[in-house]
Amino acid sequence: RMDSQNQYCVSRPIYSTRAFEHVNEKQVRETKTIKERLRNSVKCSPKLIPQIIKKFFPILNWLPIYQLKQWLPGDIVAGVTTGMVCALQGLAYSLLVGVPPVYGLYAAFFPILTYFILGTSRHLSVGPFPVTCLMQGAVVLSLAPDELFLYHGNTTGVNGTATLVVNTTARDATRISIATSMTVLIGLFQFGMGVVQVGFLVRYLSDPLVGGFTTAAALQVVVSQLKLIFNVPTNNYNGILSLFYVSFVISQASELLMLTIIVVMLVKEFNTKFQKKLPVPIPIEVIVVCTCFYACVCVYIFNRFIPPRSPDVSLFSSFGGPSFSTGVVSYAIAISVAKVYAAKHELIVDGNQELIAFGISNIFCGCFSGFVATTALSRTAIQESTGGKTQVAGIISALMVLIVIVAVGPLLQPLQKSVLGAIIVANLKGMFMQVHDVPILWRKNKTDCCIWVLTCLACIFLGLDVGLLTGVIFELGTVVIRTQFPTCSTLGNVPSTEIYKNMKDYKNIIECPGVKVFKCAAPIYFANIEYLRDQIKHTVGFNAVRVFKKRNKALKKIHQLIKKGKLKVTEVHKQPQSEGKMEVQVDWSSTLPVSVRIPKVNIHSLVMDFTAVSFLDVMAAKSLKLIIKEFMRIGVNVYLAGCDGMACLREHRTLDMCSMVNKFLSYSPSYSIIQFLKLSSN
């Protein structure tokens, strides 16, 4: 709403760049060499030691101030609830990795122990996640398919030949070795990235890209579980078009399992709808598994923890690329969830420390036969909504998983994999609901919508690893294209104000007579300077180079007419020069005595608004100087507004603007001090 009573008035001198620097005593910034920066970064004093220790062990920041009476009850409830969910999800997600279910419990237990000490988020529920498990499982199944472990059994087929049987013991041992070694390598990658402070790389995974990727991954998970849900054997296939690789026909669809999926999804929907009225969510996964678990009690055999073992380093070269991409994705998921709850509770999350925490957690987990750990939004939401305040809730959830491992872990060996597969599919509802983001993105930003859709399709058709790379390349390509073809506009003045807006956006805007105000809303560099030149031509309505050539051609003909005596020049318009020549000044707006068609130049000044230009490279600066020269030699003055800090333009001299004040209305963006820089050719 316009406030007509209060007026905004500014009265200040008109500055050139040099005059402004002189009046305000510009000072030279102190720059440090790389050697000095490295020396300062490794410098340590007795006062800094406690800060460094607290930075690498964030538990020392919040544990001493832990409010026992206020926080502990909530942490206990949250820990117990989350622990039950985490244990069951660990059992189910082990199928995605291709290892026995009990190893999912290890992946749900060990990472929490180290993250409790090293993590900076107080609300994350650390453990397995279906997307990262599927990425890791793709590598495990490709390196250890069932075909490598076939042997001739004791029975014969219909044609009299011995049937082929899978050696599950050898297969599982190999897959466990691959999975644990890959987990350690993922942890090493994450730890290394945290040490060298490159946590910013995950920012290249935008929300639309992650949304499309996880939705496609959810579809991949569903397809991977169909063979277990319907109890139909199938060959393992990973790679391009793996989603559409069908080597079986589903012929034995179990009504009981379909009912399991429906019941789990309905109860989870009920939990979501009535979460404010329910004291705790209904643990439907627990109920389903306990029902199946009852049939497994008769085969109870107690086993202890598997002792820690070192990874098989010889396998690292086989999955270096997938390990790096899985590590980046797992960190991206964890840090995005952590930042959501950190903002909600006004806490701080250190991205680089999170890399170190997850790196060490995955190394620790891999050495104890677990697989890659990150977080899940659903588990973290349960931990936070049920009263969790700190990672004490995480430790309590780990104790719940420990109880499952020690007390009933071996009972879960013969657990129906089809039931676990049904639980996995039912837990993917939230990922599939991300499809609703597509129309919203289309209305807000069509480029982000295209990133979402293309990443999703690429992951479906090309596989998760190649699809993710395709999505990142496309996303970076959109950034390059948007800077290569930036938004350029012609600005006009709101009458009686210093406000300048795009002429196409408002009706009540006037253009200063004889002046064009051109704005570029992007950095100017080698890739977009030619596009910028074309946009300037379109704004002013003529080609300065063509005008100059046409004028020179007309001048030559005028000189010829003067020599032949066919044209007389008034004394006012001729100025004697050396060697008997004279300079002829022509009114280019009037009718010329020669038959040369010269484009009309209806402006005397061009103002370039560079307030949105963050930098110019050397090539852009050279081209910009050439553009300015082209305009100035046809009598059009060029002014650069808001070009503060562009050192590449410093070598050109600046002129005072006072003599130009009466030529056109004072141009100034909406801040108090604006610099005008008039550049002239040397």
Side-chain angles (χ1 to χ4, degrees):
R1 182 181 298 178
M2 183 178 68
D3 188 353
S4 58
Q5 296 180 353
N6 297 320
Q7 300 293 320
Y8 172 72
C9 301
V10 175
S11 177
R12 63 167 179 81
I14 297 177
Y15 292 107
S16 66
T17 300
R18 289 184 178 179
F20 182 83
E21 292 176 354
H22 175 72
V23 171
N24 294 278
E25 299 182 2
K26 179 178 174 62
Q27 59 185 3
V28 180
R29 297 179 185 178
E30 182 182 357
T31 57
K32 296 181 180 179
T33 63
I34 297 178
K35 184 178 180 180
E36 291 174 338
R37 292 179 182 178
L38 289 175
R39 188 186 300 117
N40 293 335
S41 63
V42 299
K43 186 183 296 184
C44 184
S45 64
K47 295 181 179 180
L48 293 177
I49 291 177
Q51 298 179 11
I52 295 173
I53 294 176
K54 287 183 178 181
K55 181 179 179 181
F56 285 101
F57 298 98
I59 187 176
L60 299 177
N61 291 317
W62 60 265
L63 191 59
I65 60 172
Y66 188 83
Q67 301 176 22
L68 198 64
K69 294 182 179 180
Q70 289 84 359
W71 292 356
L72 186 58
D75 281 341
I76 292 175
V77 174
V80 172
T81 308
T82 308
M84 294 162 58
V85 175
C86 192
L88 294 171
Q89 289 184 348
L91 288 170
Y93 296 158
S94 63
L95 302 183
L96 300 177
V97 183
V99 297
V102 70
Y103 292 91
L105 294 176
Y106 301 153
F109 172 71
F110 288 106
I112 300 176
L113 303 181
T114 49
Y115 188 85
F116 173 75
I117 300 172
L118 301 173
T120 58
S121 174
R122 300 188 188 182
H123 299 91
L124 278 190
S125 174
V126 181
F129 186 63
V131 173
T132 53
C133 290
L134 186 64
M135 295 178 70
Q136 188 173 19
V139 176
V140 172
L141 295 179
S142 64
L143 295 180
D146 290 341
E147 291 77 9
L148 295 180
F149 304 94
L150 296 176
Y151 68 95
H152 294 285
N154 297 327
T155 60
T156 57
V158 292
N159 56 357
T161 59
T163 57
L164 295 177
V165 181
V166 177
N167 186 346
T168 56
T169 304
R171 181 199 64 185
D172 290 345
T174 303
R175 289 182 177 180
I176 292 168
S177 177
I178 295 172
T180 54
S181 299
M182 184 176 178
T183 301
V184 172
L185 183 58
I186 291 171
L188 291 173
F189 276 131
Q190 291 177 328
F191 180 77
M193 292 170 64
V195 170
V196 298
Q197 306 283 296
V198 293
F200 65 89
L201 290 177
V202 77
R203 297 172 189 169
Y204 290 102
L205 301 180
S206 64
D207 289 343
L209 185 142
V210 173
F213 172 76
T214 52
T215 303
L219 186 59
Q220 297 267 17
V221 170
V222 170
V223 173
S224 69
Q225 297 308 298
L226 288 179
K227 62 181 181 180
L228 298 175
I229 293 175
F230 297 109
N231 195 25
V232 178
T234 177
N235 296 329
N236 295 319
Y237 179 77
N238 297 290
I240 297 176
L241 299 179
S242 60
L243 189 68
F244 304 98
Y245 180 82
V246 180
S247 61
F248 64 94
V249 177
I250 299 176
S251 59
Q252 298 176 350
S254 171
E255 295 180 0
L256 176 62
L257 295 174
M258 293 303 297
L259 180 63
T260 301
I261 295 176
I262 295 173
V263 170
V264 171
M265 294 187 70
L266 288 177
V267 175
K268 289 178 74 67
E269 186 67 24
F270 180 83
N271 287 339
T272 303
K273 190 172 183 179
F274 297 99
Q275 60 180 349
K276 294 183 179 179
K277 297 181 180 180
L278 294 173
V280 292
I282 299 175
I284 184 61
E285 293 94 341
V286 177
I287 297 172
V288 171
V289 174
C290 286
T291 304
C292 184
F293 172 75
Y294 179 76
C296 303
V297 176
C298 59
V299 291
Y300 176 82
I301 299 174
F302 185 83
N303 290 321
R304 294 184 178 182
F305 271 120
I306 294 177
R309 59 181 179 181
S310 59
D312 189 350
V313 181
S314 62
L315 295 172
F316 282 3
S317 60
S318 303
F319 40 69
S323 297
F324 180 79
S325 60
T326 305
V328 171
V329 170
S330 65
Y331 171 70
I333 294 169
I335 196 66
S336 60
V337 175
K339 286 184 176 180
V340 168
Y341 288 97
K344 181 178 179 180
H345 295 276
E346 298 181 355
L347 300 171
I348 298 175
V349 174
D350 187 342
N352 292 310
Q353 179 61 27
E354 287 294 293
L355 269 174
I356 294 175
F358 276 103
I360 294 177
S361 296
N362 280 318
I363 294 172
F364 185 64
C365 181
C367 291
F368 280 90
S369 303
F371 46 82
V372 62
T374 176
T375 188
L377 182 57
S378 59
R379 269 200 324 269
T380 303
I382 291 173
Q383 180 168 311
E384 190 268 345
S385 62
T386 52
K389 301 295 183 184
T390 66
Q391 280 300 326
V392 170
I395 282 294
I396 295 174
S397 68
L399 292 177
M400 294 296 297
V401 177
L402 179 63
I403 293 172
V404 176
I405 294 173
V406 175
V408 297
L411 295 176
L412 300 171
Q413 292 290 351
L415 193 65
Q416 288 282 340
K417 292 185 178 179
S418 55
V419 175
L420 297 179
I423 292 176
I424 291 175
V425 174
N427 275 278
L428 297 175
K429 173 180 172 288
M431 292 188 187
F432 285 120
M433 289 299 102
Q434 294 178 122
V435 175
H436 294 306
D437 295 341
V438 175
I440 298 174
L441 286 173
W442 181 258
R443 290 192 296 268
K444 291 184 176 181
N445 190 307
K446 291 180 173 57
T447 302
D448 287 344
C449 182
C450 292
I451 292 173
W452 195 105
V453 173
L454 185 133
T455 304
C456 183
L457 294 177
C459 291
I460 290 174
F461 286 95
L462 305 179
L464 293 182
D465 48 357
V466 179
L468 177 62
L469 179 62
T470 303
V472 171
I473 293 174
F474 179 77
E475 179 187 45
L476 296 177
T478 60
V479 176
V480 173
I481 291 174
R482 278 184 278 187
T483 57
Q484 189 170 355
F485 302 100
T487 302
C488 299
S489 56
T490 303
L491 305 184
N493 177 247
V494 178
S496 303
T497 71
E498 89 296 349
I499 300 173
Y500 282 75
K501 293 292 183 180
N502 192 335
M503 294 283 293
K504 296 180 179 180
D505 294 338
Y506 299 92
K507 294 181 179 179
N508 189 28
I509 284 183
I510 61 174
E511 194 171 38
C512 305
V515 178
K516 288 287 185 180
V517 182
F518 173 82
K519 182 174 183 178
C520 175
I524 302 176
Y525 63 110
F526 65 92
N528 65 4
I529 186 62
E530 290 302 320
Y531 177 80
L532 182 71
R533 182 191 291 269
D534 294 337
Q535 291 298 305
I536 292 174
K537 293 177 185 177
H538 181 266
T539 297
V540 299
F542 58 84
N543 186 334
V545 176
R546 187 168 180 268
V547 171
F548 181 72
K549 291 181 178 179
K550 289 290 186 179
R551 287 184 178 183
N552 278 345
K553 183 177 180 181
L555 279 174
K556 289 180 181 179
K557 290 188 176 183
I558 290 173
H559 277 290
Q560 290 175 359
L561 292 176
I562 293 174
K563 286 183 179 180
K564 294 178 181 179
K566 296 181 180 181
L567 182 65
K568 293 184 178 180
V569 183
T570 58
E571 295 295 330
V572 177
H573 293 89
K574 61 181 182 180
Q575 299 177 357
Q577 288 187 339
S578 60
E579 300 180 2
K581 295 181 180 180
M582 67 176 66
E583 179 184 353
V584 179
Q585 294 185 351
V586 180
D587 183 5
W588 299 108
S589 61
S590 61
T591 303
L592 299 179
V594 293
S595 58
V596 178
R597 190 173 181 179
I598 304 176
K600 294 292 183 181
V601 178
N602 51 10
I603 63 171
H604 56 73
S605 298
L606 171 64
V607 178
M608 296 185 186
D609 181 4
F610 279 7
T611 53
V613 178
S614 57
F615 72 89
L616 285 87
D617 66 359
V618 175
M619 182 176 175
K622 290 181 179 178
S623 299
L624 185 61
K625 295 169 187 176
L626 181 60
I627 292 172
I628 294 171
K629 181 178 180 180
E630 292 169 356
F631 276 100
M632 296 193 69
R633 65 186 181 183
I634 63 172
V636 177
N637 296 309
V638 179
Y639 303 90
L640 303 187
C643 57
D644 185 32
M646 297 183 186
C648 53
L649 299 175
R650 292 290 179 183
E651 60 188 66
H652 282 269
R653 60 189 179 90
T654 59
L655 301 180
D656 189 6
M657 284 289 295
C658 293
S659 61
M660 300 299 298
V661 173
N662 295 326
K663 287 190 176 183
F664 56 91
L665 296 176
S666 177
Y667 168 76
S668 175
S670 57
Y671 49 81
S672 57
I673 298 179
I674 183 69
Q675 301 178 29
F676 283 91
L677 177 63
K678 178 179 177 182
L679 304 181
S680 64
S681 58
N682 290 332

